[in-house]
Amino acid sequence: MLSSFSVQNFRSILDLKLDFSYGEGKAPNGYQGQEIMPFIDAPQHRRLVPCMAFFGANASGKTNILKAIGKLKNLLREGGLLSDSFEPNLLNPKFSDTTFAAEFFMGGERFEYRITYNAKEIRRESLLKNGKSIFNIESLKTAFSPHILSSTYSDDKLSDILRVECSNGAGRQIKLFLHRIGLAYAGLHADLLNTFSYFKDRIIYYGNEEALPLPFSVELLASTMGEDEVAALREITDVVRRLDIDIAAINIIQKELAPNEQPQFGIVKTNPETGAQHAFQITSTHKDISGNLALFNFMEQESAGTQRLAGLVGLILYALKTGGVLLVDELECSLHPLLMREIVLMFKKRRFNPYGAQLIVTTHNTDILDDSILRLSEIALVRKTTSNGTLVRRLIDIKKDGEDVRNVTNFRKQYLAGFYSGIPHPAL
């Protein structure tokens, strides 16, 4: 469960901390028996929101908030060149480095992982558990907690891993230590491996500019179901159908391509480990006027909304089954407002979300600004200034500043009227 995320000097963001805690004080009366959860009970007597929706004008930086979390995930999972990952704020040179810091709960414990980097080096990397340092690396100077050391992995051994595998040999760290440990030293210590796995497996980022092939969602969901892709596709199809999409069945045919063979159909996916390529053909069936099944080419004959929804459902189910954090940019894209509402409610309802999964989205759809869906702690308004970059205020913050904002307020009407700011002011 993600409890906070801090960003410094990334794209439109200059200095920002995102708070995912429940900030409304006393819990609602009888909340434990209510179907819709006001919050998730986290370890150490913390309460976190199951959803967070970022609203704001175009170019306010909503997407960059999600990209920042996705960037940290990608740096840990993929490594890559720092020069490709360094995207500083171009309008204000206040900071020369980028910093990401995530606080999250895992296995009943509170962790905080932080990195500071620029295009040439990682200046700092650290991990804390319940406020105590597990490791801290600054300019290749190390401090490792005794509880992760062993006869196999001594202080000198860990320093050697950092120097040999994470540095350029000229005194600069260029790879994340946790990235190398997670990939190559799984037996070192559970806290390190679990932190790496948290970002790699529990955080799912879906940007609006990205295609979402259904086979990817099926494969991801199948990883929670004993790798049974048939069962995973069946579960996705069932949810799509219950969302009032008239599909009888979806089928995926997979074919491994020979070297240099050109695919004749569908989506092509390359195995990053073996280099083998597979082509996927997706079909769907509908009942015709006589009750007979008619075969459709899923990618060519189903609507963009149906295609996006099917892929998105796989990510949703994966997050709900693993207690993950699903980040979706412009959730409403190609989706009817009522379907968007149902997706949000899947994370809010206890029967769908028993493991504390979280949904974090950007959206322009104001239909979910309704007190029966989102609470004051779950609605965040985004705006941007040249001097301070992207800024975020939750409605609960506005209330604490003295404004008369309550969970019974008509959020949508007041937001569109400009009461909370975070809306465009066109002057055509």
Side-chain angles (χ1 to χ4, degrees):
M1 287 173 269
L2 191 61
S3 57
S4 71
F5 193 84
S6 298
V7 186
Q8 212 172 68
N9 195 30
F10 177 74
R11 296 172 71 97
S12 67
I13 301 170
L14 189 62
D15 197 357
L16 180 66
K17 182 174 181 178
L18 306 171
D19 184 0
F20 300 105
S21 65
Y22 174 80
E24 297 165 48
K26 184 180 178 182
N29 292 331
Y31 80 94
Q32 292 173 318
Q34 296 173 359
E35 182 184 22
I36 297 179
M37 300 183 291
F39 52 77
I40 300 168
D41 282 308
Q44 302 182 11
H45 308 290
R46 295 280 292 275
R47 291 169 172 172
L48 305 177
V49 294
C51 296
M52 180 74 76
F54 292 99
F55 291 84
N58 293 102
S60 59
K62 301 185 302 299
T63 295
N64 292 337
I65 292 170
L66 302 195
K67 279 183 177 289
I69 303 174
K71 181 68 71 174
L72 178 56
K73 170 191 171 76
N74 205 51
L75 278 168
L76 277 167
R77 185 184 64 181
E78 305 292 343
L81 297 175
L82 292 176
S83 56
D84 293 338
S85 298
F86 184 57
E87 300 179 74
N89 187 303
L90 299 178
L91 302 181
N92 190 328
K94 180 178 181 180
F95 301 105
S96 57
D97 302 319
T98 292
T99 295
F100 298 137
E103 183 187 80
F104 55 97
F105 287 92
M106 180 176 57
E109 312 290 349
R110 177 173 55 88
F111 291 83
E112 182 183 331
Y113 180 66
R114 177 184 296 266
I115 65 168
T116 298
Y117 72 100
N118 55 42
K120 295 181 179 179
E121 65 179 326
I122 298 165
R123 297 176 62 85
R124 182 184 178 189
E125 180 182 6
S126 64
L127 178 65
L128 297 128
K129 177 181 179 182
N130 296 324
K132 296 182 179 179
S133 177
I134 293 179
F135 72 81
N136 185 68
I137 302 167
E138 290 191 59
S139 301
L140 292 181
K141 295 179 180 179
T142 62
F144 298 110
S145 170
H147 94 277
I148 67 169
L149 302 177
S150 65
S151 57
T152 304
Y153 295 106
S154 63
D155 194 300
D156 289 341
K157 173 65 175 177
L158 296 186
S159 297
D160 284 343
I161 293 172
L162 175 68
R163 178 177 53 82
V164 174
E165 302 185 37
C166 303
S167 79
N168 63 355
R172 295 189 178 200
Q173 182 183 352
I174 58 171
K175 295 285 185 183
L176 291 174
F177 177 71
L178 193 58
H179 165 74
R180 290 305 306 154
I181 294 300
L183 289 181
Y185 298 91
L188 196 159
H189 195 275
D191 286 342
L192 300 179
L193 179 62
N194 290 339
T195 300
F196 173 77
S197 297
Y198 178 82
F199 287 96
K200 174 177 172 288
D201 300 327
R202 297 289 185 89
I203 293 181
I204 311 102
Y205 171 69
Y206 177 30
N208 186 40
E209 74 279 5
E210 303 174 54
L212 182 60
L214 181 58
F216 169 81
S217 291
V218 171
E219 181 181 0
L220 186 66
L221 180 58
S223 68
T224 70
M225 305 171 68
E227 307 300 334
D228 189 340
E229 294 191 5
V230 173
L233 180 57
R234 186 185 307 119
E235 187 164 345
I236 290 171
T237 305
D238 180 61
V239 173
V240 169
R241 190 185 303 116
R242 286 191 284 132
L243 288 171
D244 199 29
I245 303 297
D246 184 26
I247 287 181
I250 302 174
N251 294 288
I252 299 177
I253 301 172
Q254 180 179 169
K255 177 188 176 184
E256 183 171 354
L257 301 177
N260 301 319
E261 180 183 358
Q262 295 299 313
Q264 299 299 312
F265 55 78
I267 301 163
V268 176
K269 185 170 67 173
T270 303
N271 186 313
E273 296 180 358
T274 65
Q277 290 190 314
H278 291 81
F280 296 84
Q281 183 180 36
I282 309 174
T283 60
S284 54
T285 53
H286 297 256
K287 288 186 178 180
D288 64 16
I289 194 170
S290 302
N292 300 315
L293 292 178
L295 190 66
F296 281 52
N297 183 313
F298 186 83
M299 301 300 296
E300 295 179 4
Q301 294 175 295
E302 296 291 356
S303 71
T306 297
Q307 293 180 45
R308 187 172 192 267
L309 179 63
L312 189 56
V313 164
L315 304 187
I316 292 167
L317 294 175
Y318 174 83
L320 293 172
K321 288 176 182 288
T322 62
V325 181
L326 176 58
L327 313 166
V328 184
D329 188 25
E330 296 191 12
L331 177 61
E332 76 276 12
C333 185
S334 296
L335 295 181
H336 191 281
L338 291 179
L339 295 189
M340 180 174 168
R341 182 181 190 275
E342 291 303 311
I343 288 171
V344 171
L345 285 173
M346 289 181 76
F347 286 81
K348 295 279 292 183
K349 291 183 178 179
R350 298 182 190 278
R351 60 192 173 98
F352 290 121
N353 189 7
Y355 303 117
Q358 293 169 293
L359 176 68
I360 303 172
V361 304
T362 69
T363 182
H364 294 288
N365 186 327
T366 59
D367 288 345
I368 60 170
L369 285 175
D370 184 302
D371 64 281
S372 66
I373 304 175
L374 297 175
R375 300 183 62 86
L376 297 180
S377 296
E378 298 174 308
I379 299 170
L381 306 178
V382 183
R383 62 187 179 92
K384 184 178 71 174
T385 67
T386 303
S387 58
N388 294 309
T390 293
L391 302 170
V392 172
R393 289 181 80 201
R394 296 190 296 169
L395 288 189
I396 189 60
D397 301 323
I398 295 174
K399 179 179 180 180
K400 289 177 178 178
D401 287 342
E403 298 286 351
D404 184 21
V405 184
R406 292 167 289 175
N407 278 312
V408 294
T409 299
N410 186 331
F411 299 146
R412 182 176 185 274
K413 182 178 180 180
Q414 293 190 334
Y415 170 70
L416 292 177
F419 182 78
Y420 303 121
S421 77
I423 61 170
H425 297 281
L428 296 177

